[in-house]
Amino acid sequence: MQRIVFTTTPGRIIDEIVHSASPSSVIVLADENTSRLVVPNIDSETVASAPVIIIAAGDEAKTITTASHVWDKLSALGATRHSLLINVGGGMVTDLGGFAASTFKRGIEFINVPTTLLGAVDASVGGKTGVNHGGFKNEVGVFNEARAVVLSTAFFNTLPQIELRSGYAEVLKHALLIGVDEVNRWLDYPIELFPYESNRLLGMIETGVNFKLHIVEQDPHEQGLRRCLNLGHTVGHAFESFALMRGTPVPHGHAVARGLVAELILSHLKCGFDGSWLHRLAKRILALYGNQLFTCDDYPTLLNLMHHDKKSVHGEINCTLLTAPGQFVNDFTVEDSDMCTALDIYRDLME
Amino acid sequence: MQRIVFTTTPGRIIDEIVHSASPSSVIVLADENTSRLVVPNIDSETVASAPVIIIAAGDEAKTITTASHVWDKLSALGATRHSLLINVGGGMVTDLGGFAASTFKRGIEFINVPTTLLGAVDASVGGKTGVNHGGFKNEVGVFNEARAVVLSTAFFNTLPQIELRSGYAEVLKHALLIGVDEVNRWLDYPIELFPYESNRLLGMIETGVNFKLHIVEQDPHEQGLRRCLNLGHTVGHAFESFALMRGTPVPHGHAVARGLVAELILSHLKCGFDGSWLHRLAKRILALYGNQLFTCDDYPTLLNLMHHDKKSVHGEINCTLLTAPGQFVNDFTVEDSDMCTALDIYRDLME
């Protein structure tokens, strides 16, 4: 069972976890940013004495080529089946590092140290690892949990506002799945104000992470219940891939925020989700993330991306929808015509 | 739990298994040889109507680049998380196909249809999947079992003698782990005579596979007991990698056969394994596989390969040794000097 630690002294916790794992060697994986801004500031003997594999930052580097580079470095560093990899970074680093570790010599242990709000709430729980491939998000990967995930707001201090907002979308998604009070709590939180309210934020992250853990424990391989966590993601992934294809990538969370609006519109149309909630959320998301730039000419491309989504069983568009905050319906099959209607309304709402 | 079927009507069994899996689509993976010689002759409606992904044959093609090609084709064929891949081929195809399936969209189901004796007895049981990387054998992969393995001697008819001998080494290894009677049974079997004695061979394969299953069930992640299956492989892998590095690749089973001799010499030196057994086995292996061409100048390279073996925990050379047929000692740490002595004796014995 994966250990999740919320802490204000991440370095000490990492040392403890490594000590109890007693690996044959320890290697740190970080990207160009976190290797410079975060790794030197983790107060950990283990991290300080470990070799660091540095990869390029950003989703464009989340490829099998980068994973290959990590395998090469692990081999060159003499890593064995009993070595341990510490992934220090955002979701890209923890996803790719988790995949590289899970497949190196058929699997070595790894620890995730998320350095972004998005990584803390989303990418580090549930054992999803992977890389993008052939233009599709996370097309190649495995389900495999880290030995431990070390969560600390200490790392968010160097985080640009754009990344903090990206994480906010994922916690908002959790809030929508949890219920009315949690949605209110997040809609009231001033994520645009800096410095953030550290304690309030950590408490909210903990609620979101624990909710996700609760769901994932009941359904580790995404056979049923867990699909609720895909709320906003069928359309969100399509928006993200679409932006990438056009050469104007948007952060994952920004795409998910917009995907949430589109799927709440569908929830309103098909499941009776309350219109005033929809408008309140759409307004907040528009204020934080701006609108999505596409026209009705782009619908066929967007629909095609949705039909290719991993959640699709027989090529249909598959969404999680809400009847109300906290009440979700998984595996709702959405007709192309309904999706187009939702995209029409989305363009009106988000202008 | 993986289903293993011994059958004389593999096509019908494949159709049954696919029917019960009810996948969203079925795709066949084969190499240049099996796509031509085996796939068209499988009497299966499912296989006949499925698209076939064809990859190059041979261990040199067992790379992440080939796996990438398979992922690309799966994406292009519209495969979903609920598609099923049927791997038809030797260990290279089932290892690589198993890895590609286990990582495509974080894992789709697959069926293995081994077409070689080696694949039947070795590569299809135990959930080892993977590809070679950076000059190391199976450096990248995962543990993941097929939904089913369909074993039939029907496929061995088109098998070259060299492949049959390759498989013989692995079954001989199982026999050495099982006990005296099984070793005698295999040493008496005239593997060099063609056509093979089909029923006798199938019975012997079944004993070997069932022994392996019994071991793997007790230790799915190779934490302890299962390491006995590595008998012959620490030195065998080094021989195989060495031959590959010199541009004169040898079949896996041939390298393992020679590795068995070297490790039985070590067993004799360090664990009291009987000398007359050693000589009888060495004589048979020499007759079937010929000698291994290396000199004492190559010892540092061979030792280095053994120190880099996956089974190594802290960089030491780790072997399974025998005190007698059926009596094994796992995780025996071998000193470099003892290995050099064993290699000296090996060169004498195998000349």
Side-chain angles (χ1 to χ4, degrees):
Chain A
M1 188 56 209
Q2 173 173 272
R3 197 176 149 198
I4 311 242
V5 190
F6 295 86
T7 178
T8 52
T9 57
R12 193 174 55 76
I13 295 290
I14 291 170
D15 286 343
E16 268 178 37
I17 293 165
V18 170
H19 184 75
S20 80
S22 64
S24 62
S25 67
V26 176
I27 295 122
V28 170
L29 179 72
D31 69 23
E32 298 153 340
N33 299 326
T34 55
S35 62
R36 203 164 33 86
L37 297 172
V38 181
V39 173
N41 299 321
I42 300 179
D43 188 16
S44 151
E45 284 178 30
T46 321
V47 171
S49 60
V52 182
I53 301 174
I54 301 174
I55 57 178
D59 205 60
E60 317 84 70
K62 194 178 166 185
T63 62
I64 202 73
T65 306
T66 306
S68 253
H69 171 74
V70 176
W71 293 322
D72 289 339
K73 289 286 178 185
L74 288 170
S75 297
L77 289 165
T80 74
R81 199 180 274 191
H82 303 272
S83 294
L84 183 141
L85 186 68
I86 303 180
N87 301 313
V88 180
M92 180 271 181
V93 172
T94 54
D95 279 11
L96 186 143
F99 175 66
S102 300
T103 51
F104 182 71
K105 294 182 191 281
R106 298 204 187 92
I108 65 173
E109 287 205 298
F110 61 100
I111 295 173
N112 284 340
V113 184
T115 59
T116 64
L117 178 56
L118 177 62
V121 295
D122 185 52
S124 296
V125 182
K128 285 190 176 182
T129 76
V131 295
N132 304 330
H133 192 76
F136 298 103
K137 301 275 303 165
N138 301 315
E139 184 81 336
V140 171
V142 294
F143 284 101
N144 191 29
E145 289 199 324
R147 182 182 178 93
V149 181
V150 180
L151 295 168
S152 175
T153 51
F155 305 123
F156 303 161
N157 288 314
T158 58
L159 209 59
Q161 173 64 210
I162 194 170
E163 283 293 342
L164 208 60
R165 288 194 192 194
S166 203
Y168 177 78
E170 290 290 341
V171 280
L172 197 58
K173 177 196 78 176
H174 286 148
L176 279 162
L177 294 167
I178 295 171
V180 170
D181 289 350
E182 201 62 19
V183 179
N184 280 324
R185 205 171 155 208
W186 277 101
L187 285 179
D188 291 344
Y189 181 83
I191 195 77
E192 52 274 75
L193 295 188
F194 211 71
Y196 54 80
E197 298 176 42
S198 182
N199 281 346
R200 189 171 165 194
L201 196 56
L202 190 61
M204 288 154 80
I205 291 169
E206 198 160 346
T207 309
V209 168
N210 285 335
F211 170 75
K212 182 163 179 185
L213 270 179
H214 171 71
I215 296 287
V216 168
E217 268 170 31
Q218 291 175 70
D219 179 20
H221 288 92
E222 209 162 23
Q223 298 298 307
L225 181 67
R226 182 168 170 183
R227 294 193 193 130
C228 72
L229 297 171
N230 288 316
L231 179 66
H233 281 70
T234 298
V235 180
H237 276 155
F239 284 171
E240 192 177 3
S241 296
F242 177 75
L244 198 62
M245 284 161 64
R246 291 213 311 198
T248 53
V250 294
H252 175 70
H254 294 213
V256 168
R258 290 151 174 166
L260 274 176
V261 174
E263 296 188 15
L264 292 179
I265 293 167
L266 280 166
S267 298
H268 177 63
L269 293 175
K270 310 298 290 184
C271 302
F273 183 79
D274 187 72
S276 62
W277 273 114
L278 167 60
H279 281 90
R280 196 170 152 217
L281 281 150
K283 196 176 156 197
R284 183 87 177 102
I285 286 171
L286 179 61
L288 280 174
Y289 304 98
N291 60 340
Q292 175 80 16
L293 301 172
F294 62 90
T295 70
C296 51
D297 292 341
D298 302 316
Y299 287 10
T301 307
L302 290 168
L303 289 173
N304 188 39
L305 286 164
M306 293 176 206
H307 283 288
H308 273 87
D309 193 273
K310 266 194 292 299
K311 292 176 283 301
S312 176
V313 179
H314 297 286
E316 81 292 358
I317 298 177
N318 181 314
C319 291
T320 291
L321 299 183
L322 297 179
T323 56
Q327 304 293 324
F328 49 85
V329 184
N330 280 342
D331 295 319
F332 196 101
T333 299
V334 178
E335 299 299 324
D336 283 13
S337 56
D338 288 328
M339 185 57 80
C340 290
T341 306
L343 292 176
D344 285 341
I345 298 173
Y346 174 92
R347 286 163 60 219
D348 284 344
L349 264 182
M350 297 292 274
E351 238 169 13
Chain B
M1 186 57 208
Q2 175 173 269
R3 197 176 151 200
I4 312 244
V5 190
F6 295 85
T7 179
T8 51
T9 56
R12 193 173 55 76
I13 296 291
I14 291 170
D15 286 342
E16 269 177 37
I17 293 165
V18 170
H19 183 75
S20 81
S22 64
S24 62
S25 66
V26 176
I27 295 121
V28 170
L29 179 73
D31 69 23
E32 297 153 340
N33 299 325
T34 55
S35 61
R36 201 164 34 86
L37 297 171
V38 181
V39 173
N41 299 319
I42 300 179
D43 188 16
S44 151
E45 283 178 32
T46 321
V47 171
S49 60
V52 182
I53 300 174
I54 301 175
I55 57 178
D59 206 59
E60 317 83 71
K62 194 178 165 185
T63 62
I64 202 74
T65 307
T66 306
S68 252
H69 171 74
V70 176
W71 293 322
D72 289 339
K73 289 285 179 184
L74 287 172
S75 297
L77 289 165
T80 74
R81 198 180 273 190
H82 302 273
S83 295
L84 183 140
L85 186 68
I86 304 180
N87 300 312
V88 180
M92 179 272 181
V93 172
T94 53
D95 280 11
L96 185 144
F99 175 65
S102 300
T103 51
F104 182 72
K105 293 182 192 282
R106 299 201 187 94
I108 64 172
E109 286 206 298
F110 60 101
I111 296 174
N112 283 340
V113 185
T115 59
T116 65
L117 178 56
L118 178 62
V121 296
D122 186 52
S124 296
V125 183
K128 284 189 175 181
T129 76
V131 296
N132 304 329
H133 192 76
F136 297 103
K137 303 272 306 163
N138 301 315
E139 186 80 336
V140 172
V142 295
F143 286 100
N144 191 30
E145 289 199 324
R147 181 180 179 96
V149 181
V150 180
L151 294 168
S152 174
T153 51
F155 304 124
F156 302 162
N157 288 313
T158 58
L159 208 61
Q161 175 62 213
I162 194 170
E163 282 294 341
L164 208 60
R165 288 193 192 195
S166 203
Y168 178 78
E170 290 289 342
V171 279
L172 197 57
K173 178 197 78 178
H174 287 148
L176 279 161
L177 294 167
I178 295 171
V180 170
D181 291 349
E182 200 62 18
V183 179
N184 280 323
R185 205 171 156 207
W186 278 101
L187 285 179
D188 292 345
Y189 181 84
I191 196 78
E192 52 275 73
L193 296 188
F194 211 70
Y196 53 80
E197 299 176 40
S198 181
N199 281 346
R200 191 172 163 192
L201 196 58
L202 190 61
M204 288 154 79
I205 291 169
E206 198 161 345
T207 310
V209 168
N210 285 335
F211 170 75
K212 184 164 178 184
L213 270 179
H214 171 72
I215 297 286
V216 168
E217 269 170 29
Q218 290 175 69
D219 180 19
H221 288 92
E222 208 162 24
Q223 298 297 306
L225 182 66
R226 182 168 171 182
R227 293 193 193 130
C228 72
L229 297 171
N230 288 316
L231 179 66
H233 282 70
T234 298
V235 180
H237 276 155
F239 284 171
E240 192 178 4
S241 296
F242 178 74
L244 197 63
M245 284 161 63
R246 290 214 311 199
T248 53
V250 293
H252 175 69
H254 294 214
V256 168
R258 290 151 173 165
L260 274 177
V261 174
E263 295 187 17
L264 291 178
I265 294 168
L266 281 165
S267 297
H268 177 63
L269 292 174
K270 309 301 288 185
C271 301
F273 184 77
D274 186 70
S276 61
W277 273 115
L278 168 59
H279 281 89
R280 197 170 153 219
L281 281 150
K283 198 177 154 195
R284 184 88 178 103
I285 287 171
L286 179 60
L288 281 174
Y289 304 98
N291 59 342
Q292 176 80 18
L293 300 172
F294 62 89
T295 71
C296 51
D297 291 342
D298 302 316
Y299 287 11
T301 308
L302 289 168
L303 289 173
N304 187 40
L305 286 165
M306 294 176 207
H307 283 288
H308 273 87
D309 192 272
K310 264 193 295 297
K311 292 175 284 298
S312 176
V313 180
H314 295 289
E316 79 293 357
I317 299 178
N318 181 313
C319 291
T320 290
L321 299 183
L322 297 179
T323 57
Q327 304 292 326
F328 51 83
V329 185
N330 280 342
D331 295 319
F332 196 100
T333 299
V334 179
E335 298 299 324
D336 283 12
S337 55
D338 288 328
M339 185 56 81
C340 291
T341 306
L343 292 175
D344 286 341
I345 298 173
Y346 174 92
R347 285 163 60 220
D348 285 344
L349 265 182
M350 297 292 275
E351 236 168 15

